[in-house]
Amino acid sequence: MSVKSYIETNKGRFLEELFGLMRIPSISALEEHKPDMLACAQRLANLLMASGATGARITPTAGNPIVYAERLISAEAPTVLVYGHYDVMPAEPLELWNTDPFEPTIHDGRIWGRGADDDKGQGMTQIKGFETALAEGILGCNVKFLFEGEEEIGSTNLEAYCEANKDLLKADVILVSDTSMVSKEVPSLTTGLRGLAYWEVEVTGPNRDLHSGHFGGAVANPINVMCQLLASLVDSNGRITIPGFYDDVEEVSPEEREMIARIPFDEAKYKAAIGVDALFGEKGYSTLERNSCRPSFDICGIWGGYTGEGSKTVLPSKAYAKVSTRLVPHQDHGKISRLFEKHMRRVAPPYVKVKVTPSHGGQGYVCPIDMPAYKAAEEAMRIAFGQRPLAVRRGGSIPIIAAFERILGIKSVLMGFGLEQNAIHSPNESCELDYFFKGIEAVAEFYHLYSPKP
């Protein structure tokens, strides 16, 4: 039997195992789903053992449990550490889903449901790719698995776990499937990620909600002030106005800008896919540069006052917002967080009080493309997808990737199989059914190529 034949024979089982994971609402952001987090970790550990791991353990943390498993072939063989996460984003707004987010379905050639891509679907490509390589006798390296349940809330406890388990996690490379490709027609490997800084901002005006007729025009409205403050953080040229923000930004080299320019990109199709008539970003850079190797600032949520049914003429006491910035390599998220807090204190007008509460953050990451593991991943993608993948930077953040390098001293190869149309973090998340199986093939071929030859 061959890799393709093994996958074809086991397609139904692979899908049912994935669906079993997806049916568990392992939403790390919501406290009421704590039991689901443990149930999902247990299901994952069982799947790893059934797929060929010879040892699996669930380690409690101050938050959600971490799942570790391994298959050790030889002390002389190279070791691959596979990282993934089993937690998912909340499914709200539920009314925008066409199907039950936690009852996976297949139609139009796609798997639909929360976690189909991020990261249960991609995590299963790793597990089933490992199983396939083992079953076909082409696994010649040691494999360790590390799955966490807090990636969507900042990997709160994983760094401490890594610090405490450096010997257990020793490896030559980390293999990650939690990224996306350029397009369905153009496979790619991610060679860079942006970092992240995140805050909650609270603006307080009067000591209670006021009647807007009696006090409007005489007392500052915290929501109005919040909007003015946040709107001032990005100028008309798309530049972030926080003093010192760009001090450590590395300019992309002319060579890399030329390579980015060669990436197939249809701006009209891009706009149509997200339903906008025009794009906006930092002046002087292309769309692909703006969303991959330039920093950005976004308001992720804003609220305050009365938002119920009907009307209530109220001047609210408080306004709230959640804001984030995507950072590029060399920008330190701690430094950026301090610059933001300092700036908000400086520009806050005297008629309100502004409180900034930092949340999670992480550094950017760049992968060398001359590593043996990268070369193996590149060739494996070529075999599975029929063409050599491009090396591209992506705009998302996986903060733990930089932490892995800092704590464990290991580089990561980002071998993701997602697509933009998969709508991760949004209603109607999905993944291409064919890409799920091609991903499994690519992972199996990676092990074949990365394993030492007799």
Side-chain angles (χ1 to χ4, degrees), residues 117-130:
D117 176 330
D118 185 20
D119 184 43
K120 291 177 179 178
Q122 295 213 51
M124 284 294 284
T125 63
Q126 285 292 337
I127 296 170
K128 298 294 104 178
F130 157 77

Side-chain angles (χ1 to χ4, degrees), residues 157-228:
N157 293 288
L158 188 54
E159 288 194 28
Y161 178 89
C162 291
E163 291 280 8
N165 293 277
K166 290 181 180 179
D167 287 339
L168 179 70
L169 300 176
K170 278 184 179 177
D172 295 282
V173 68
I174 300 173
L175 191 60
V176 182
S177 291
D178 193 19
T179 51
S180 60
M181 297 196 289
V182 169
S183 71
K184 186 176 178 179
E185 296 77 23
V186 184
S188 61
L189 286 167
T190 298
T191 57
L193 295 167
R194 291 192 288 187
L196 173 72
Y198 198 103
W199 309 267
E200 183 170 307
V201 181
E202 176 185 300
V203 174
T204 303
N207 59 8
R208 64 185 189 279
D209 289 357
L210 303 176
H211 189 292
S212 65
H214 295 168
F215 292 92
V219 178
N221 184 319
I223 299 179
N224 294 356
V225 176
M226 176 74 84
C227 292
Q228 292 163 1

Side-chain angles (χ1 to χ4, degrees), residues 326-339:
R326 299 288 175 166
L327 309 172
V328 295
H330 305 305
Q331 281 188 295
D332 178 76
H333 72 93
K335 177 181 177 180
I336 294 299
S337 187
R338 292 188 293 272
L339 287 175

Side-chain angles (χ1 to χ4, degrees), residues 297-357:
F297 178 88
D298 287 289
I299 303 166
C300 301
I302 187 166
W303 70 99
Y306 180 71
T307 58
E309 186 177 352
S311 61
K312 181 181 180 183
T313 52
V314 62
L315 191 158
S317 170
K318 292 179 179 290
Y320 303 88
K322 292 182 183 290
V323 299
S324 71
T325 180
R326 299 288 175 166
L327 309 172
V328 295
H330 305 305
Q331 281 188 295
D332 178 76
H333 72 93
K335 177 181 177 180
I336 294 299
S337 187
R338 292 188 293 272
L339 287 175
F340 176 76
E341 292 178 68
K342 181 180 178 181
H343 177 68
M344 292 299 283
R345 287 196 301 269
R346 184 173 58 250
V347 299
Y351 36 81
V352 295
K353 298 179 180 65
V354 175
K355 178 184 176 183
V356 176
T357 303

